[in-house]
Amino acid sequence: MMCREFRDLHPAFLDDTLSAHAIVEMQLHLTECVRCSRYDTAIRRGLLVLRNLPAVEPSADFLDRLNQKLVAARELDARAEVFRGPGVGSFLATAASVVVVGFLAAMVFDVAKPARDLRLPPVVAVRPPMAPSAPPAGVNSAFVASASMGLPVWPAAMMAEQAQEHFAAEELGR
Ligand SMILES: [Zn+2]
């Protein structure tokens, strides 16, 4: 038996609730191990002292006073609970933010999915000259640039880039 096992079983050993086999093993370990033997003696002495302490006699009205204090503490807790509870405003704000986060997550996953399939060749994506001619249909140069660099394409960033592109194109008189 290891010391750790002895210490784990020691309370049951003291309470005499171990199996006969375990008790024999514990006693065997006590004869073999000085440290556990000392431990056992210390615990037994402590228990002996504890059991021989004079019993504490509560005063006659102890139970009444204890109950009064418990009731008072419970009332205080209940009042604090009402006070601390979230207001309707903060509750609605929390609910709204949860909805917004969920909506954004849905948007990200919906929009990001096709982007993942868009495996573009690792061509150095030089921004095409802002010629008055239209870029290839359906392909946005800013989007190609960010996708080919392997950067995560966030829908918001994509939209921002596209917006800039449109503004620039409009300024150039496309
Ligand atoms: Zn031991």
Side-chain angles (χ1 to χ4, degrees), residues 1-4 6-7 29-30 32-37:
M1 175 176 279
M2 306 297 288
C3 295
R4 194 198 163 93
F6 179 87
R7 305 267 168 122
H29 187 78
L30 271 181
E32 289 169 343
C33 178
V34 181
R35 270 176 53 196
C36 288
S37 172

mmCIF file with all atom_site columns, all heavy atoms in Angstrom, residues 1-4 6-7 29-30 32-37, ligand 1:
data_model
loop_
_atom_site.group_PDB
_atom_site.id
_atom_site.type_symbol
_atom_site.label_atom_id
_atom_site.label_alt_id
_atom_site.label_comp_id
_atom_site.label_asym_id
_atom_site.label_entity_id
_atom_site.label_seq_id
_atom_site.pdbx_PDB_ins_code
_atom_site.Cartn_x
_atom_site.Cartn_y
_atom_site.Cartn_z
_atom_site.occupancy
_atom_site.B_iso_or_equiv
_atom_site.pdbx_formal_charge
_atom_site.auth_seq_id
_atom_site.auth_comp_id
_atom_site.auth_asym_id
_atom_site.auth_atom_id
_atom_site.pdbx_PDB_model_num
ATOM   1   N  N   . MET A 1 1  ? 0.836  -1.204 0.000  1.00 0.00 ? 1  MET A N   1
ATOM   2   C  CA  . MET A 1 1  ? 0.000  0.000  0.000  1.00 0.00 ? 1  MET A CA  1
ATOM   3   C  C   . MET A 1 1  ? 0.868  1.250  0.000  1.00 0.00 ? 1  MET A C   1
ATOM   4   O  O   . MET A 1 1  ? 1.900  1.302  0.679  1.00 0.00 ? 1  MET A O   1
ATOM   5   C  CB  . MET A 1 1  ? -0.891 0.001  1.258  1.00 0.00 ? 1  MET A CB  1
ATOM   6   C  CG  . MET A 1 1  ? -1.703 1.258  1.403  1.00 0.00 ? 1  MET A CG  1
ATOM   7   S  SD  . MET A 1 1  ? -2.833 1.204  2.801  1.00 0.00 ? 1  MET A SD  1
ATOM   8   C  CE  . MET A 1 1  ? -4.165 0.278  2.118  1.00 0.00 ? 1  MET A CE  1
ATOM   9   N  N   . MET A 1 2  ? 0.447  2.232  -0.789 1.00 0.00 ? 2  MET A N   1
ATOM   10  C  CA  . MET A 1 2  ? 1.195  3.484  -0.854 1.00 0.00 ? 2  MET A CA  1
ATOM   11  C  C   . MET A 1 2  ? 0.670  4.452  0.209  1.00 0.00 ? 2  MET A C   1
ATOM   12  O  O   . MET A 1 2  ? -0.475 4.346  0.653  1.00 0.00 ? 2  MET A O   1
ATOM   13  C  CB  . MET A 1 2  ? 1.023  4.140  -2.231 1.00 0.00 ? 2  MET A CB  1
ATOM   14  C  CG  . MET A 1 2  ? 1.366  3.232  -3.399 1.00 0.00 ? 2  MET A CG  1
ATOM   15  S  SD  . MET A 1 2  ? 3.109  2.741  -3.380 1.00 0.00 ? 2  MET A SD  1
ATOM   16  C  CE  . MET A 1 2  ? 3.870  4.288  -3.855 1.00 0.00 ? 2  MET A CE  1
ATOM   17  N  N   . CYS A 1 3  ? 1.548  5.409  0.585  1.00 0.00 ? 3  CYS A N   1
ATOM   18  C  CA  . CYS A 1 3  ? 1.180  6.378  1.618  1.00 0.00 ? 3  CYS A CA  1
ATOM   19  C  C   . CYS A 1 3  ? -0.071 7.164  1.216  1.00 0.00 ? 3  CYS A C   1
ATOM   20  O  O   . CYS A 1 3  ? -0.934 7.437  2.049  1.00 0.00 ? 3  CYS A O   1
ATOM   21  C  CB  . CYS A 1 3  ? 2.327  7.347  1.849  1.00 0.00 ? 3  CYS A CB  1
ATOM   22  S  SG  . CYS A 1 3  ? 3.778  6.543  2.531  1.00 0.00 ? 3  CYS A SG  1
ATOM   23  N  N   . ARG A 1 4  ? -0.148 7.511  -0.057 1.00 0.00 ? 4  ARG A N   1
ATOM   24  C  CA  . ARG A 1 4  ? -1.281 8.309  -0.528 1.00 0.00 ? 4  ARG A CA  1
ATOM   25  C  C   . ARG A 1 4  ? -2.595 7.552  -0.318 1.00 0.00 ? 4  ARG A C   1
ATOM   26  O  O   . ARG A 1 4  ? -3.583 8.116  0.153  1.00 0.00 ? 4  ARG A O   1
ATOM   27  C  CB  . ARG A 1 4  ? -1.066 8.614  -2.018 1.00 0.00 ? 4  ARG A CB  1
ATOM   28  C  CG  . ARG A 1 4  ? -1.976 9.688  -2.538 1.00 0.00 ? 4  ARG A CG  1
ATOM   29  C  CD  . ARG A 1 4  ? -2.044 9.638  -4.064 1.00 0.00 ? 4  ARG A CD  1
ATOM   30  N  NE  . ARG A 1 4  ? -3.203 10.391 -4.506 1.00 0.00 ? 4  ARG A NE  1
ATOM   31  C  CZ  . ARG A 1 4  ? -3.152 11.665 -4.842 1.00 0.00 ? 4  ARG A CZ  1
ATOM   32  N  NH1 . ARG A 1 4  ? -2.022 12.323 -4.800 1.00 0.00 ? 4  ARG A NH1 1
ATOM   33  N  NH2 . ARG A 1 4  ? -4.245 12.295 -5.221 1.00 0.00 ? 4  ARG A NH2 1
ATOM   34  N  N   . PHE A 1 6  ? -3.050 5.236  1.838  1.00 0.00 ? 6  PHE A N   1
ATOM   35  C  CA  . PHE A 1 6  ? -3.268 5.150  3.287  1.00 0.00 ? 6  PHE A CA  1
ATOM   36  C  C   . PHE A 1 6  ? -3.989 6.393  3.791  1.00 0.00 ? 6  PHE A C   1
ATOM   37  O  O   . PHE A 1 6  ? -4.968 6.308  4.517  1.00 0.00 ? 6  PHE A O   1
ATOM   38  C  CB  . PHE A 1 6  ? -1.920 4.992  4.004  1.00 0.00 ? 6  PHE A CB  1
ATOM   39  C  CG  . PHE A 1 6  ? -2.033 4.916  5.495  1.00 0.00 ? 6  PHE A CG  1
ATOM   40  C  CD1 . PHE A 1 6  ? -2.245 3.714  6.136  1.00 0.00 ? 6  PHE A CD1 1
ATOM   41  C  CD2 . PHE A 1 6  ? -1.950 6.077  6.271  1.00 0.00 ? 6  PHE A CD2 1
ATOM   42  C  CE1 . PHE A 1 6  ? -2.364 3.642  7.518  1.00 0.00 ? 6  PHE A CE1 1
ATOM   43  C  CE2 . PHE A 1 6  ? -2.077 6.023  7.645  1.00 0.00 ? 6  PHE A CE2 1
ATOM   44  C  CZ  . PHE A 1 6  ? -2.276 4.802  8.272  1.00 0.00 ? 6  PHE A CZ  1
ATOM   45  N  N   . ARG A 1 7  ? -3.490 7.566  3.333  1.00 0.00 ? 7  ARG A N   1
ATOM   46  C  CA  . ARG A 1 7  ? -4.107 8.835  3.784  1.00 0.00 ? 7  ARG A CA  1
ATOM   47  C  C   . ARG A 1 7  ? -5.548 8.945  3.278  1.00 0.00 ? 7  ARG A C   1
ATOM   48  O  O   . ARG A 1 7  ? -6.408 9.451  3.977  1.00 0.00 ? 7  ARG A O   1
ATOM   49  C  CB  . ARG A 1 7  ? -3.305 10.039 3.257  1.00 0.00 ? 7  ARG A CB  1
ATOM   50  C  CG  . ARG A 1 7  ? -1.842 9.992  3.628  1.00 0.00 ? 7  ARG A CG  1
ATOM   51  C  CD  . ARG A 1 7  ? -1.566 10.742 4.919  1.00 0.00 ? 7  ARG A CD  1
ATOM   52  N  NE  . ARG A 1 7  ? -0.235 10.439 5.391  1.00 0.00 ? 7  ARG A NE  1
ATOM   53  C  CZ  . ARG A 1 7  ? 0.716  11.359 5.608  1.00 0.00 ? 7  ARG A CZ  1
ATOM   54  N  NH1 . ARG A 1 7  ? 0.453  12.637 5.409  1.00 0.00 ? 7  ARG A NH1 1
ATOM   55  N  NH2 . ARG A 1 7  ? 1.899  11.005 6.041  1.00 0.00 ? 7  ARG A NH2 1
ATOM   56  N  N   . HIS A 1 29 ? 0.632  -1.304 6.815  1.00 0.00 ? 29 HIS A N   1
ATOM   57  C  CA  . HIS A 1 29 ? 1.343  -0.098 6.402  1.00 0.00 ? 29 HIS A CA  1
ATOM   58  C  C   . HIS A 1 29 ? 1.786  0.703  7.624  1.00 0.00 ? 29 HIS A C   1
ATOM   59  O  O   . HIS A 1 29 ? 2.887  1.270  7.624  1.00 0.00 ? 29 HIS A O   1
ATOM   60  C  CB  . HIS A 1 29 ? 0.460  0.773  5.496  1.00 0.00 ? 29 HIS A CB  1
ATOM   61  C  CG  . HIS A 1 29 ? 1.193  1.936  4.905  1.00 0.00 ? 29 HIS A CG  1
ATOM   62  N  ND1 . HIS A 1 29 ? 2.042  1.836  3.831  1.00 0.00 ? 29 HIS A ND1 1
ATOM   63  C  CD2 . HIS A 1 29 ? 1.212  3.244  5.263  1.00 0.00 ? 29 HIS A CD2 1
ATOM   64  C  CE1 . HIS A 1 29 ? 2.548  3.008  3.550  1.00 0.00 ? 29 HIS A CE1 1
ATOM   65  N  NE2 . HIS A 1 29 ? 2.057  3.899  4.399  1.00 0.00 ? 29 HIS A NE2 1
ATOM   66  N  N   . LEU A 1 30 ? 0.970  0.697  8.664  1.00 0.00 ? 30 LEU A N   1
ATOM   67  C  CA  . LEU A 1 30 ? 1.322  1.422  9.895  1.00 0.00 ? 30 LEU A CA  1
ATOM   68  C  C   . LEU A 1 30 ? 2.612  0.878  10.504 1.00 0.00 ? 30 LEU A C   1
ATOM   69  O  O   . LEU A 1 30 ? 3.430  1.637  11.013 1.00 0.00 ? 30 LEU A O   1
ATOM   70  C  CB  . LEU A 1 30 ? 0.191  1.289  10.923 1.00 0.00 ? 30 LEU A CB  1
ATOM   71  C  CG  . LEU A 1 30 ? -0.921 2.333  10.875 1.00 0.00 ? 30 LEU A CG  1
ATOM   72  C  CD1 . LEU A 1 30 ? -1.933 2.067  11.968 1.00 0.00 ? 30 LEU A CD1 1
ATOM   73  C  CD2 . LEU A 1 30 ? -0.347 3.729  11.037 1.00 0.00 ? 30 LEU A CD2 1
ATOM   74  N  N   . GLU A 1 32 ? 4.978  -0.535 8.810  1.00 0.00 ? 32 GLU A N   1
ATOM   75  C  CA  . GLU A 1 32 ? 6.112  -0.383 7.879  1.00 0.00 ? 32 GLU A CA  1
ATOM   76  C  C   . GLU A 1 32 ? 6.539  1.069  7.702  1.00 0.00 ? 32 GLU A C   1
ATOM   77  O  O   . GLU A 1 32 ? 7.692  1.340  7.381  1.00 0.00 ? 32 GLU A O   1
ATOM   78  C  CB  . GLU A 1 32 ? 5.707  -0.917 6.490  1.00 0.00 ? 32 GLU A CB  1
ATOM   79  C  CG  . GLU A 1 32 ? 5.566  -2.434 6.442  1.00 0.00 ? 32 GLU A CG  1
ATOM   80  C  CD  . GLU A 1 32 ? 4.914  -2.879 5.155  1.00 0.00 ? 32 GLU A CD  1
ATOM   81  O  OE1 . GLU A 1 32 ? 4.293  -2.020 4.481  1.00 0.00 ? 32 GLU A OE1 1
ATOM   82  O  OE2 . GLU A 1 32 ? 5.009  -4.066 4.827  1.00 0.00 ? 32 GLU A OE2 1
ATOM   83  N  N   . CYS A 1 33 ? 5.600  2.011  7.863  1.00 0.00 ? 33 CYS A N   1
ATOM   84  C  CA  . CYS A 1 33 ? 5.862  3.388  7.466  1.00 0.00 ? 33 CYS A CA  1
ATOM   85  C  C   . CYS A 1 33 ? 5.821  4.301  8.690  1.00 0.00 ? 33 CYS A C   1
ATOM   86  O  O   . CYS A 1 33 ? 4.780  4.433  9.338  1.00 0.00 ? 33 CYS A O   1
ATOM   87  C  CB  . CYS A 1 33 ? 4.825  3.821  6.433  1.00 0.00 ? 33 CYS A CB  1
ATOM   88  S  SG  . CYS A 1 33 ? 5.025  5.524  5.903  1.00 0.00 ? 33 CYS A SG  1
ATOM   89  N  N   . VAL A 1 34 ? 6.949  4.919  8.974  1.00 0.00 ? 34 VAL A N   1
ATOM   90  C  CA  . VAL A 1 34 ? 7.040  5.782  10.159 1.00 0.00 ? 34 VAL A CA  1
ATOM   91  C  C   . VAL A 1 34 ? 6.173  7.026  9.986  1.00 0.00 ? 34 VAL A C   1
ATOM   92  O  O   . VAL A 1 34 ? 5.484  7.453  10.920 1.00 0.00 ? 34 VAL A O   1
ATOM   93  C  CB  . VAL A 1 34 ? 8.516  6.175  10.406 1.00 0.00 ? 34 VAL A CB  1
ATOM   94  C  CG1 . VAL A 1 34 ? 8.641  7.035  11.636 1.00 0.00 ? 34 VAL A CG1 1
ATOM   95  C  CG2 . VAL A 1 34 ? 9.385  4.936  10.526 1.00 0.00 ? 34 VAL A CG2 1
ATOM   96  N  N   . ARG A 1 35 ? 6.210  7.602  8.772  1.00 0.00 ? 35 ARG A N   1
ATOM   97  C  CA  . ARG A 1 35 ? 5.482  8.855  8.552  1.00 0.00 ? 35 ARG A CA  1
ATOM   98  C  C   . ARG A 1 35 ? 3.973  8.659  8.737  1.00 0.00 ? 35 ARG A C   1
ATOM   99  O  O   . ARG A 1 35 ? 3.320  9.450  9.398  1.00 0.00 ? 35 ARG A O   1
ATOM   100 C  CB  . ARG A 1 35 ? 5.777  9.367  7.138  1.00 0.00 ? 35 ARG A CB  1
ATOM   101 C  CG  . ARG A 1 35 ? 6.987  10.290 7.108  1.00 0.00 ? 35 ARG A CG  1
ATOM   102 C  CD  . ARG A 1 35 ? 7.334  10.705 5.693  1.00 0.00 ? 35 ARG A CD  1
ATOM   103 N  NE  . ARG A 1 35 ? 6.193  11.261 4.984  1.00 0.00 ? 35 ARG A NE  1
ATOM   104 C  CZ  . ARG A 1 35 ? 6.144  11.414 3.660  1.00 0.00 ? 35 ARG A CZ  1
ATOM   105 N  NH1 . ARG A 1 35 ? 7.164  11.045 2.931  1.00 0.00 ? 35 ARG A NH1 1
ATOM   106 N  NH2 . ARG A 1 35 ? 5.087  11.919 3.082  1.00 0.00 ? 35 ARG A NH2 1
ATOM   107 N  N   . CYS A 1 36 ? 3.446  7.597  8.144  1.00 0.00 ? 36 CYS A N   1
ATOM   108 C  CA  . CYS A 1 36 ? 2.008  7.354  8.252  1.00 0.00 ? 36 CYS A CA  1
ATOM   109 C  C   . CYS A 1 36 ? 1.640  6.967  9.670  1.00 0.00 ? 36 CYS A C   1
ATOM   110 O  O   . CYS A 1 36 ? 0.548  7.287  10.142 1.00 0.00 ? 36 CYS A O   1
ATOM   111 C  CB  . CYS A 1 36 ? 1.573  6.276  7.260  1.00 0.00 ? 36 CYS A CB  1
ATOM   112 S  SG  . CYS A 1 36 ? 1.605  6.876  5.565  1.00 0.00 ? 36 CYS A SG  1
ATOM   113 N  N   . SER A 1 37 ? 2.553  6.304  10.350 1.00 0.00 ? 37 SER A N   1
ATOM   114 C  CA  . SER A 1 37 ? 2.303  5.933  11.739 1.00 0.00 ? 37 SER A CA  1
ATOM   115 C  C   . SER A 1 37 ? 2.185  7.199  12.594 1.00 0.00 ? 37 SER A C   1
ATOM   116 O  O   . SER A 1 37 ? 1.284  7.322  13.424 1.00 0.00 ? 37 SER A O   1
ATOM   117 C  CB  . SER A 1 37 ? 3.449  5.053  12.230 1.00 0.00 ? 37 SER A CB  1
ATOM   118 O  OG  . SER A 1 37 ? 3.318  4.836  13.603 1.00 0.00 ? 37 SER A OG  1
HETATM 119 ZN ZN  . ZN  B 2 .  ? 3.134  5.584  4.545  1.00 0.00 ? 1  ZN  B ZN  1
#
